Amino acid sequence: MKSKKCFRVAILMAAIMTTVFAQAADRRPGHVVVVGIDGMRGDSVEQAQTPNMRALMARGVSTMKAAAVLPTVSSPNWASVLMGALPDTHKVLSNDWQPGQTPPFPTLFDVLRNRYKKAHMAAIYEWAGFGRLFNHVSVDFCASAIMDAVKPDPNISPALRMTTKAAEVIKINKPLFIFLHLDLVDHAGHASGYGSPEYLAAVSEADRLLGQILQAVSDAGITDKTAVFVLSDHGGKDKRHGGSSPEETTVPWMAAGPGLAAGKTLAEPISIAQTAPTIARLLRIKCPAAWTQQPVVEAFAKH
C-alpha cells in the first residue's frame, strides 16, 4: 500500500512539474520586436500624443529615464543597444565608424543566429548608418530607406515606408527577431528643435507607426507570444545632440510581453546598453563574454 501511495504521489508531482515547466515555457516569447526611435527624449513621450506607447507601458515595464551612452550620437548608441557593451569596449566611437576599422564584435543578431540557425530575422532601418553596425549575413531580410528598388512615392515618408515593410515581414514571416529603426523624430529635432511642437508632432507620428507594428503582430496571430521593445538612442537640446546634458542623455525604454513584468515603472537606473542582454535572457540564450552589460533584472516577471 505504501509503495502504491508513493507512486501516486510521484505521478502527481510529475504532473505538477510538467505544468510548471509548460507555464514557464509559455512565459518565454517566441518573437521579439524592437522599435528604435532615433532622437526621442524621455520627456517627449509624456508631452506628445502617444497612446500606443502608453498602452505598451501599461501592460509592461518602462522608464522615461534610461541612460544613453556617450557620446550621444547614433552609431555608438545603437551599437551599444545591439552589442550589450559600452563604446570603450565595442569601439564604435562616432558616426564616422566603418566596418573593418575595429575587430568584429558580436551583435544580438549574431548571437541569435548562432542559437537559432533557421529562425527568421530582419533589420529594417530609416537611417542608412544603422546598417553598418551588424553583420548582414546574420539577417534574412534587410531593408533601408535608400535601398528601395523603385523610385519612392514622395507623398509617403521614409518612416512610413520602412514601417510598412516591417509590418509585412511580421505578418508573412513571423520573425524570431525584427529591429525597426525610425529616424523621423531626430530629423524633426535637428530641423525645428528638440521639444518643439514639430518635434512632438513627430513623436506622435512615431507612436502611430508603432501602432501599425502592433497591429501587424496582432494580424499575424502572435501577440501573446511576442515581446515588444521601444527605445531611443539619444535625446537632444536645441537643434543638436552629442553632449552630456540631461536632455541629450535621458531616453525612454519600454518593453511588454511574455516573461516581462506588467504595469511596472523601473525603479533602478538602466542603460540602453542593457537591451541585448535583456533580450538574450528573455529568450534563454547565454550572452557572449564580450557583452559587459547585465540584463535589466527588474524588468522580468516574478514566477
Side-chain angles (χ1 to χ4, degrees):
M1 291 293 293
K2 186 175 181 181
S3 62
K4 290 183 178 179
K5 183 176 180 180
C6 290
F7 179 75
R8 287 196 295 269
V9 170
I11 292 295
L12 177 61
M13 290 301 297
I16 292 173
M17 292 307 296
T18 298
T19 301
V20 170
F21 289 141
Q23 290 175 343
D26 288 342
R27 286 191 289 265
R28 182 173 65 179
H31 314 273
V32 175
V33 176
V34 178
V35 179
I37 304 174
D38 208 296
M40 186 168 67
R41 293 187 345 191
D43 58 2
S44 70
V45 176
E46 299 168 340
Q47 295 170 3
Q49 297 296 315
T50 53
N52 292 300
M53 293 184 205
R54 292 171 188 270
L56 196 70
M57 290 187 285
R59 66 180 181 91
V61 294
S62 63
T63 177
M64 297 299 102
K65 297 180 180 180
V69 305
L70 297 177
T72 51
V73 293
S74 292
S75 286
N77 276 273
W78 289 126
S80 295
V81 168
L82 292 174
M83 299 175 183
L86 300 179
D88 61 351
T89 300
H90 58 63
K91 304 303 182 183
V92 181
L93 302 177
S94 75
N95 283 344
D96 295 327
W97 180 88
Q98 295 289 336
Q101 290 181 348
T102 56
F105 199 94
T107 71
L108 182 57
F109 288 111
D110 299 324
V111 172
L112 292 176
R113 177 56 68 213
N114 289 337
R115 175 64 178 82
Y116 298 102
K117 303 295 185 182
K118 297 182 179 180
H120 194 279
M121 293 193 288
I124 299 171
Y125 42 98
E126 187 179 353
W127 177 55
F130 185 87
R132 300 194 304 262
L133 303 175
F134 64 94
N135 183 0
H136 289 217
V137 174
S138 294
V139 178
D140 297 281
F141 181 84
C142 188
S144 74
I146 64 171
M147 289 169 59
D148 291 311
V150 296
K151 187 175 181 180
D153 185 337
N155 297 316
I156 300 177
S157 70
L160 178 56
R161 294 205 317 272
M162 296 301 98
T163 300
T164 300
K165 287 182 182 292
E168 291 172 352
V169 170
I170 290 170
K171 287 187 284 188
I172 295 171
N173 300 107
K174 299 179 177 62
L176 167 71
F177 181 62
I178 181 170
F179 197 115
L180 170 63
H181 169 277
L182 298 175
D183 209 21
L184 72 165
V185 172
D186 196 45
H187 281 311
H190 284 300
S192 302
Y194 293 84
S196 68
E198 294 83 359
Y199 174 82
L200 295 179
V203 173
S204 296
E205 175 63 8
D207 183 84
R208 189 184 71 82
L209 297 176
L210 170 62
Q212 292 189 16
I213 295 300
L214 297 176
Q215 184 60 53
V217 171
S218 177
D219 292 343
I222 56 174
T223 297
D224 293 341
K225 301 176 182 178
T226 301
V228 179
F229 287 73
V230 178
L231 63 148
S232 187
D233 57 338
H234 59 73
K237 185 176 182 180
D238 299 325
K239 293 184 178 181
R240 64 181 67 90
H241 57 83
S244 58
S245 69
E247 293 88 350
E248 294 163 283
T249 59
T250 307
V251 297
W253 190 96
M254 61 192 81
L260 296 165
K264 182 175 184 178
T265 300
L266 298 174
E268 298 296 325
I270 71 164
S271 165
I272 61 172
Q274 294 177 263
T275 303
T278 301
I279 292 173
R281 173 167 171 168
L282 197 59
L283 294 173
R284 311 286 203 276
I285 297 174
K286 184 179 180 180
C287 294
W291 290 9
T292 57
Q293 296 295 293
Q294 298 299 311
V296 181
V297 176
E298 191 184 356
F300 293 92
K302 294 181 179 179
H303 304 322

